[in-house]
Amino acid sequence: MKKETLFAYFYTKAEKAIRKIGKQTSKDIYAISFWKDNIEDDPRCPIITIGYNTLTQVEAEQKNASSLMEAKWNYAFWLQNELEDKLDEQDKQMQSVFMDIIVSVVKELHQRGVVKEQIGIDVPIIVHELEYYDLPIDWTIRSNPKPLIDEFLEFYHDRSL
């Protein structure tokens, strides 16, 4: 399948998922998650699950975390919700090509104002795996306008010291 075709398919599904966020909930959202995993741990079958986190969840989890920043940015404390649509490619596409397309999808969501229109403000989309390390951090940096991810990057760099 061509990269352009995959991009269009994934973009449509991602936009649809974000538009499912209720207007009442959207006022509490501070970040969206594009969690990258592999179906049955098969690297030939990457998948993205789209979700979000809220300030209410941060407040509820703060007592379980070592700090407010950990409760806010460590995915383990997030809602673990799914917006139904999953972006996957079970063909013989390489992980890097898949993730390049996902990065392009996130950039396009920001450029078209989909996130801002649905939530009321522009929030970062954290593109990640279960753990944060250099590769997913790079996906997030490439996907978002820099000011949106400054606080997230501060959290990541403080943890990795």
Side-chain angles (χ1 to χ4, degrees), residues 61 92 107 114:
E61 287 293 334
K92 294 181 181 179
K107 288 169 88 169
V114 173

Side-chain angles (χ1 to χ4, degrees), residues 7 12 16 26 49 53 65 68-69 73 81 98 100-101 109 111 119 130 141 150 155 160:
F7 170 83
T12 300
K16 181 180 170 189
S26 69
T49 302
N53 205 25
L68 173 64
M69 290 291 276
W73 295 113
N81 52 15
F98 177 80
D100 284 345
I101 293 169
L109 289 166
Q111 288 172 354
I119 296 175
L130 195 53
I141 290 170
D150 284 346
F155 164 74
S160 58

Side-chain angles (χ1 to χ4, degrees), residues 76-120:
F77 296 103
W78 283 39
L79 288 168
Q80 310 300 319
N81 52 15
E82 294 180 17
L83 296 175
E84 284 184 40
D85 291 51
K86 293 189 178 194
L87 312 180
D88 58 47
E89 175 52 29
Q90 295 184 25
D91 205 346
K92 294 181 181 179
Q93 299 292 324
M94 299 297 293
Q95 297 268 333
S96 62
V97 172
F98 177 80
M99 291 313 298
D100 284 345
I101 293 169
I102 296 304
V103 166
S104 296
V105 165
V106 172
K107 288 169 88 169
E108 190 73 14
L109 289 166
H110 280 302
Q111 288 172 354
R112 291 188 186 183
V114 173
V115 174
K116 187 174 184 177
E117 177 185 323
Q118 189 62 31
I119 296 175

Side-chain angles (χ1 to χ4, degrees), residues 8-20:
Y9 174 72
F10 291 155
Y11 178 85
T12 300
K13 289 188 80 168
E15 181 178 9
K16 181 180 170 189
I18 290 171
R19 292 196 184 280
K20 287 181 180 180

Side-chain angles (χ1 to χ4, degrees), residues 6-154:
L6 285 172
F7 170 83
Y9 174 72
F10 291 155
Y11 178 85
T12 300
K13 289 188 80 168
E15 181 178 9
K16 181 180 170 189
I18 290 171
R19 292 196 184 280
K20 287 181 180 180
I21 298 171
K23 290 290 186 184
Q24 198 164 7
T25 302
S26 69
K27 293 175 181 17
D28 199 27
I29 294 172
Y30 68 90
I32 294 173
S33 166
F34 272 48
W35 175 42
K36 189 252 181 216
D37 199 7
N38 296 310
I39 297 171
E40 296 181 9
D41 292 325
D42 185 341
R44 295 171 301 154
C45 302
I47 187 168
I48 294 288
T49 302
I50 302 171
Y52 59 84
N53 205 25
T54 64
L55 295 172
T56 301
Q57 177 71 8
V58 171
E59 188 176 312
E61 287 293 334
Q62 187 175 356
K63 64 185 176 296
N64 298 319
S66 64
S67 69
L68 173 64
M69 290 291 276
E70 182 178 33
K72 189 171 187 179
W73 295 113
N74 185 334
Y75 186 65
F77 296 103
W78 283 39
L79 288 168
Q80 310 300 319
N81 52 15
E82 294 180 17
L83 296 175
E84 284 184 40
D85 291 51
K86 293 189 178 194
L87 312 180
D88 58 47
E89 175 52 29
Q90 295 184 25
D91 205 346
K92 294 181 181 179
Q93 299 292 324
M94 299 297 293
Q95 297 268 333
S96 62
V97 172
F98 177 80
M99 291 313 298
D100 284 345
I101 293 169
I102 296 304
V103 166
S104 296
V105 165
V106 172
K107 288 169 88 169
E108 190 73 14
L109 289 166
H110 280 302
Q111 288 172 354
R112 291 188 186 183
V114 173
V115 174
K116 187 174 184 177
E117 177 185 323
Q118 189 62 31
I119 296 175
I121 59 170
D122 219 357
V123 298
I125 297 176
I126 310 302
V127 184
H128 62 96
E129 293 181 337
L130 195 53
E131 298 292 328
Y132 298 135
Y133 60 97
D134 290 346
L135 184 59
I137 296 300
D138 181 61
W139 298 332
T140 298
I141 290 170
R142 290 176 30 218
S143 299
N144 291 273
K146 185 173 177 339
L148 287 182
I149 59 170
D150 284 346
E151 184 179 305
F152 170 75
L153 292 176
E154 179 182 328

